């Protein structure tokens, strides 16, 4: 009987990350599953990347997020309410909303963000506007929308992605029609931040303490 060969990695530098993830998720997922998701994560990120210096690191981070979501969906782990913010490029509104919610909710919520057509980098004024509000966006990067993260979400909040936004039965959906900060001056981005933060406050009153 022939056996299928494990997925090949698009970059040999991913091997170390694959080993770390396989060890971290041992008992939950087979190394082949980890390897396949890591290769897919790298490929998805590479599609939109102009600069590939940090692709290996970002692919490992994205894979870890996908594996965490998959483990949650399969009942292997439990945790707080999971909120997913989705916009088209994951470079502005959804990044800002995710950062604000994570900052204010702490461990009450597991927060993710993604884009239906992710950009190669976050909008430059987003980090500035959040820093002014005491919120760190240093580790954020535009991520592709993946099935695992959508399936694991309890609440999906869409922000201007239109028909491309995911629809999964059984999820609670909210649409926040907030202005797009793409190319906007910092004064406008600050106003968008405040509009999103107002909606975050409303959402927090609805979540279990």
């Amino acid at each position: 009987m022939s056996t299928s060969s494990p997925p090949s990695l698009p970059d040999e530098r991913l091997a170390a990350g694959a080993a770390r993830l396989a060890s971290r998720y041992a008992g939950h997922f087979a190394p082949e599953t980890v390897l396949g998701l890591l290769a897919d994560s790298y490929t998805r990120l590479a599609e939109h990347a102009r600069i590939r210096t940090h692709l290996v690191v970002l692919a490992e981070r994205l894979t870890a997020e996908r594996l965490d979501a998959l483990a949650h969906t399969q009942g292997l782990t439990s945790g707080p309410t999971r909120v997913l913010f989705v916009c088209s490029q994951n470079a502005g509104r959804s990044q800002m909303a995710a950062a604000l919610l994570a900052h204010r909710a702490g461990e009450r919520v597991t927060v993710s963000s993604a884009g239906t057509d992710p950009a190669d980098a976050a909008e430059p004024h987003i980090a500035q506007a959040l820093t002014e509000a005491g919120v760190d966006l240093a580790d954020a990067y535009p991520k592709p929308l993946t099935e695992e993260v959508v399936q694991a979400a309890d609440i999906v909040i869409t922000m201007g992605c239109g028909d491309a936004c995911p629809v999964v039965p059984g999820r609670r959906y909210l649409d926040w029609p907030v202005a797009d900060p793409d190319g906007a001056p910092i004064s406008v981005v600050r106003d968008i931040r405040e509009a999103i933060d107002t909606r975050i406050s409303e959402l927090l009153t609805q979540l279990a303490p």
Side-chain angles (χ1 to χ4, degrees):
M1 178 182 294
S2 62
T3 58
S4 59
S5 59
S8 59
L9 292 172
D11 188 315
E12 62 182 13
R13 295 173 298 168
L14 291 165
R20 282 190 293 269
L21 290 169
S23 175
R24 175 177 170 182
Y25 292 94
H28 287 342
F29 302 112
E32 292 78 12
T33 300
V34 173
L35 204 62
L37 279 180
L38 181 58
D40 181 68
S41 294
Y42 181 93
T43 300
R44 290 183 184 225
L45 290 171
E47 288 177 2
H48 303 277
R50 287 185 299 177
I51 301 174
R52 302 196 173 198
T53 307
H54 304 295
L55 268 184
V56 170
V57 173
L58 297 182
E60 183 176 346
R61 287 173 53 191
L62 177 58
T63 303
E65 183 175 341
R66 296 173 70 181
L67 289 167
D68 284 340
L70 189 59
H72 179 81
T73 302
Q74 295 183 358
L76 301 174
T77 61
S78 60
T81 300
R82 302 177 74 96
V83 178
L84 170 64
F85 292 97
V86 183
C87 68
S88 56
Q89 294 190 315
N90 193 217
R93 289 167 289 189
S94 58
Q95 289 281 6
M96 186 175 288
L100 287 167
L101 179 57
H103 177 73
R104 295 185 56 187
E107 297 181 356
R108 292 174 55 194
V109 181
T110 296
V111 185
S112 299
S113 70
T116 54
D117 184 25
D120 65 301
E123 287 290 319
H125 286 330
I126 297 299
Q128 179 182 345
L130 287 172
T131 299
E132 292 172 357
V135 180
D136 184 15
L137 195 69
D139 294 331
Y141 63 101
K143 299 181 291 296
L145 186 64
T146 64
E147 180 181 355
E148 300 85 8
V149 175
V150 177
Q151 292 285 350
D154 298 298
I155 302 173
V156 179
I157 300 176
T158 57
M159 309 179 78
C161 51
D163 293 339
C165 286
V167 177
V168 178
R171 303 296 176 272
R172 178 186 176 193
Y173 282 84
L174 300 172
D175 183 63
W176 290 2
V178 179
D180 188 352
D182 185 15
I186 185 61
S187 59
V188 173
V189 176
R190 291 185 184 114
D191 291 340
I192 295 171
R193 178 195 65 201
E194 294 307 307
I196 291 175
D197 200 44
T198 297
R199 292 180 179 273
I200 292 291
S201 296
E202 296 171 356
L203 179 65
L204 285 171
T205 65
Q206 303 168 23
L207 298 178

